[in-house]
Amino acid sequence: MTDENTYDVVVLGAGPVGENVADRARAAGLSTAVVESELVGGECSYWACMPSKALLRPVIARADARRLPGLREAVQGPLDAPAVLARRDEYTSHWKDDGQVSWLEAIGADLYRGQGRLAGPRRVTVTGPDGTEHVLTARHAVAVCTGTRAALPDLPGLADVESWTSREATSARKVPGRLVVVGGGVVAAEMATAWQALGSQVTMLVRGSGLLPRMEPFAGELVMQALVEAGADVRTGVSVKGVTREGGTVVTTLDDGSTLESDEILFATGRAPRTDDIGLESVGLEPGSWLPVDDSLRVEGSTWLYAVGDVNHRALLTHQGKYQARIAGAAIAARAQGVPLLETDRWGAHAATADHSAVPQVVFTDPEAGSAGLTLAEAEAAGHRVRAVDYDIASVAGAGLYGDGYRGRARMIVDLDREILLGVTFVGPGVGELVHSATVAVAGEVPIDRLWHVVPSYPTVSEVWLRLLETYRG
């Protein structure tokens, strides 16, 4: 049985990005259909942001408590792993999406469950779990918000090993005795932190020279130092050449011919777009490819197809995808209303400028690492005349009060021609809550002279802002 329905906007994918596109379209009075093949709420809600941070929060809280005399003695025992996992389950709603479905219904969007595929311009077919087919036609726009999946390397034996990806790492039902983590990025660092603290013996295998390669080098250095001190074995400059499972044991072969045994192995080696089975070929695009877009998130060469969130490969972060969704929703609505000229100039209402200039990120390790905007290397590569200003966060009074033995570092990248900040990075306990101030400074292009009047409260860790400015001014 096949039925056909027409909407102003059809959204493929009901993760946070798709939900926000639908919300903005409905707020503008556009009829909207949302298609989802798995759980409404997407990767972030069930296998990424929410479960990973639920796992990490007790780890970080215990680490902070251990920095304080009078409290550290009370928290010397192991974490209660079953309790941590149970709280994680609560934050994923036990992998049920009833609440998020109710939210979609509340904003007036129609949900279609099943595999959605493009079937030519402005047309989407949805094959439901029971084989029922729906044909949806979009008057104005189709938004692809299907996100990404874990990218696994081409290794002998990997298909038979039942290795972990980020999904298994965030949803595991028990703590593995020994865990090998392959990779050195955010997922690898966070999951190594979580499972080491929960009782695993973690070995990290990093092909590069350090962790968190897309941040300032000192960020990865401090995080790696802390992981080693926590008992993890972090090996850099190594590659995996093969993996097998013998009984319940995973045997990993390295490039030097040596082997490692573990109970589980996590591959955190990048992401790939979920575009291989959404009908891209029907509109002249390559299945399985990233979808390049302009700053209004419209697919290059199209007048009706949008790609929002991870799938466009601009900034693979949930909050950045939701930002893009707000921009795309506004652009779709404006074009539907016949607005003759959209505001697509820098920082305009229909331009995702922050994707280029002011992306914020927090890595929830111990210590935390957070940044907004460009690194020194990125700023120099872009041709800016810049100066990097560094400061030891431990020298701020608030850091000492935060906890004994505080270790951290801050850096701001100053555009010497415009006297504004192009980027800021913090590493240290509790610095995740400093990142939004950095994001405001970078996105707002606040002049250094005005930042001098932004007075930090004493004694807080945020006083590092004043110290950075003093160091710059000399």
Side-chain angles (χ1 to χ4, degrees):
M1 177 180 176
T2 301
D3 62 34
E4 299 195 21
N5 292 284
T6 299
Y7 294 87
D8 292 320
V9 180
V10 176
V11 180
L12 289 182
V17 176
E19 288 176 328
N20 274 266
V21 172
D23 184 45
R24 292 297 84 208
R26 287 295 300 133
L30 302 178
S31 61
T32 304
V34 181
V35 181
E36 177 54 56
S37 61
E38 293 187 288
L39 295 176
V40 175
E43 199 80 11
C44 175
S45 298
Y46 306 105
W47 300 288
C49 315
M50 297 307 291
S52 67
K53 303 320 170 274
L55 291 173
L56 286 158
R57 179 60 196 145
V59 176
I60 294 171
R62 183 180 67 168
D64 283 343
R66 286 179 171 177
R67 294 183 177 98
L68 295 172
L71 183 56
R72 67 166 61 103
E73 295 79 11
V75 291
Q76 286 305 312
L79 290 169
D80 183 341
V84 173
L85 298 180
R87 185 171 185 265
R88 182 271 319 270
D89 293 352
E90 292 177 7
Y91 271 87
T92 61
S93 301
H94 298 273
W95 290 274
K96 296 179 181 178
D97 63 3
D98 299 13
Q100 305 229 30
V101 171
S102 296
W103 180 85
L104 270 184
E105 293 172 347
I107 67 169
D110 289 346
L111 173 63
Y112 290 82
R113 290 193 182 272
Q115 178 62 47
R117 297 179 180 87
L118 293 166
R122 294 185 174 85
R123 285 173 63 84
V124 173
T125 62
V126 185
T127 305
D130 61 356
T132 301
E133 186 171 276
H134 304 276
V135 178
L136 310 178
T137 300
R139 294 186 187 93
H140 300 293
V142 174
V144 176
C145 309
T146 50
T148 58
R149 56 175 172 77
L152 291 172
D154 183 14
L155 286 176
L158 184 58
D160 301 321
V161 168
E162 297 183 350
S163 62
W164 281 10
T165 66
S166 55
R167 283 197 169 196
E168 289 76 21
T170 56
S171 63
R173 311 308 305 172
K174 64 179 182 179
V175 180
R178 300 164 297 174
L179 174 65
V180 168
V181 178
V182 183
V186 175
V187 172
E190 288 189 344
M191 290 298 92
T193 298
W195 290 109
Q196 177 71 33
L198 285 167
S200 290
Q201 176 54 57
V202 170
T203 301
M204 293 189 76
L205 304 177
V206 185
R207 185 169 57 184
S209 59
L211 305 184
L212 307 179
R214 296 191 177 184
M215 301 187 83
E216 296 285 8
F218 62 81
E221 291 167 5
L222 285 171
V223 170
M224 183 164 66
Q225 180 182 353
L227 276 166
V228 171
E229 290 174 354
D233 178 4
V234 183
R235 308 183 189 185
T236 59
V238 298
S239 297
V240 174
K241 292 303 180 183
V243 59
T244 60
R245 188 180 288 272
E246 301 174 5
T249 300
V250 177
V251 179
T252 303
T253 302
L254 306 183
D255 51 358
D256 63 0
S258 64
T259 60
L260 283 173
E261 292 189 351
S262 63
D263 300 290
E264 301 291 351
I265 183 169
L266 162 62
F267 283 91
T269 49
R271 307 292 295 178
R274 298 175 73 96
T275 60
D276 51 313
D277 190 25
I278 62 167
L280 289 183
E281 65 280 2
S282 73
V283 293
L285 297 172
E286 182 68 27
S289 64
W290 301 100
L291 298 177
V293 295
D294 62 22
D295 273 356
S296 71
L297 289 310
R298 191 165 59 176
V299 173
E300 293 177 356
S302 177
T303 60
W304 57 273
L305 185 62
Y306 292 73
V308 193
D310 287 7
V311 75
N312 60 39
H313 207 228
R314 286 164 68 106
L316 277 65
L317 296 159
T318 296
H319 49 268
Q320 209 67 21
K322 292 165 70 172
Y323 159 74
Q324 292 178 11
R326 297 191 292 272
I327 299 296
I332 290 168
R335 288 174 174 134
Q337 294 160 3
V339 174
L341 188 63
L342 270 60
E343 298 176 37
T344 55
D345 54 314
R346 182 175 169 82
W347 303 115
H350 309 116
T353 308
D355 286 351
H356 310 296
S357 305
V359 174
Q361 180 174 20
V362 177
V363 184
F364 292 85
T365 46
D366 176 41
E368 291 177 344
S371 64
L374 306 181
T375 63
L376 174 60
E378 289 168 340
E380 290 178 337
H384 298 289
R385 193 171 68 90
V386 296
R387 175 184 164 192
V389 181
D390 291 347
Y391 197 80
D392 180 359
I393 302 178
S395 299
V396 175
L401 289 168
Y402 191 97
D404 291 354
Y406 191 105
R407 287 190 305 222
R409 185 173 171 185
R411 168 175 287 181
M412 68 180 190
I413 308 300
V414 181
D415 183 325
L416 295 175
D417 295 319
R418 300 176 63 198
E419 286 270 298
I420 62 171
L421 302 186
L422 297 179
V424 184
T425 298
F426 302 110
V427 184
V431 300
E433 297 301 334
L434 293 179
V435 171
H436 194 61
S437 60
T439 307
V440 171
V442 173
E445 299 181 346
V446 182
I448 292 286
D449 285 348
R450 179 57 62 85
L451 285 175
W452 189 249
H453 294 278
V454 179
V455 182
S457 299
Y458 182 87
T460 64
V461 179
S462 62
E463 195 183 13
V464 70
W465 275 108
L466 175 58
R467 302 302 172 220
L468 286 166
L469 293 168
E470 288 175 336
T471 302
Y472 174 68
R473 287 193 161 196

